Amino acid sequence: MHMHLRQEILKEHSRAQTLRIAQWVGNSPERAAALTDLFLHDEYRVVQRAAWILSHVAASHPALLQPHLPQMVARMGDPGIPVAVKRNVVRMLQFMPVPEALQGPVMDYCFRFLEDPAETIAVRAFSMTVLANLAQQYPDIRHEIILLIEEQLREGASPGFKSRAKKTLAQLEKLGRKRNV
């Protein structure tokens, strides 16, 4: 089944269409590259829809997106970046290993997103998880993550943020106990 990807993305915004396109991408590096290009560089509506498809591809075939991570991470620093790009890049980073060369920038962006009260709840929640995952390799950031989360909980947080915060704090506590054994 050959399709003109951009046209298919714009044809219909539905879960069924999203899954159909993600299935079409399958395990094809060329198709994943084409989808990533639309996600990173097209107009907002295409970016938003491509993001949803990409998150399904990332869940099924995370290795397909590894070659595109440098571009995705670099894009997170662009002023005026669509929230769909930011949200979905950070969402994907929760489920895949962050290459060593990208760990510094990813940490920097995730700390910035987490501490920004104007940032969307989803981006802040995903950033929490990415940072907790990175804390396994960089235990020195554990304390800073805990302080940030606790501060935001004191200031009043949404139920979604509280739920993710509770899980993340438990993960960081467990990590701290492992290090002290």
Side-chain angles (χ1 to χ4, degrees):
M1 171 175 143
H2 179 71
M3 61 169 80
H4 188 274
L5 189 54
R6 189 172 189 279
Q7 284 176 322
E8 286 298 314
I9 287 172
L10 287 171
K11 184 190 282 184
E12 178 186 326
H13 186 49
S14 69
R15 180 170 174 75
Q17 182 71 343
T18 297
L19 293 173
R20 199 170 20 257
I21 296 171
Q23 189 173 10
W24 174 79
V25 171
N27 201 13
S28 164
E30 296 79 19
R31 292 175 180 181
L35 180 63
T36 302
D37 190 54
L38 291 174
F39 169 66
L40 290 172
H41 304 293
D42 212 298
E43 58 151 318
Y44 185 75
R45 196 165 51 140
V46 174
V47 166
Q48 200 172 24
R49 292 179 186 184
W52 194 14
I53 299 162
L54 211 51
S55 66
H56 286 283
V57 172
S60 306
H61 307 287
L64 268 186
L65 301 180
Q66 284 288 339
H68 308 286
L69 281 180
Q71 279 182 286
M72 289 183 193
V73 171
R75 184 87 163 87
M76 291 195 320
D78 290 355
I81 179 178
V83 73
V85 173
K86 206 182 328 181
R87 182 180 57 247
N88 284 285
V89 169
V90 182
R91 175 189 284 149
M92 285 181 253
L93 289 171
Q94 296 178 107
F95 305 113
M96 52 183 24
V98 177
E100 197 172 327
L102 297 177
Q103 289 172 352
V106 166
M107 247 186 261
D108 182 49
Y109 290 129
C110 287
F111 271 118
R112 277 199 261 159
F113 298 156
L114 180 57
E115 64 192 359
D116 182 355
E119 189 55 73
T120 65
I121 292 164
V123 171
R124 288 171 39 221
F126 298 151
S127 293
M128 239 188 278
T129 301
V130 172
L131 288 169
N133 292 342
L134 287 167
Q136 293 179 34
Q137 283 177 267
Y138 302 95
D140 297 355
I141 68 171
R142 210 178 121 261
H143 188 65
E144 190 177 347
I145 301 165
I146 292 169
L147 289 176
L148 263 176
I149 293 170
E150 288 175 344
E151 177 186 320
Q152 293 193 24
L153 289 172
R154 275 193 303 279
E155 292 172 5
S158 71
F161 187 91
K162 285 179 186 172
S163 172
R164 181 64 64 104
K166 188 177 171 184
K167 290 175 187 157
T168 304
L169 289 171
Q171 180 184 351
L172 291 168
E173 268 315 301
K174 190 175 172 184
L175 184 62
R177 283 195 302 273
K178 260 193 227 171
R179 300 249 178 243
N180 294 331
V181 171

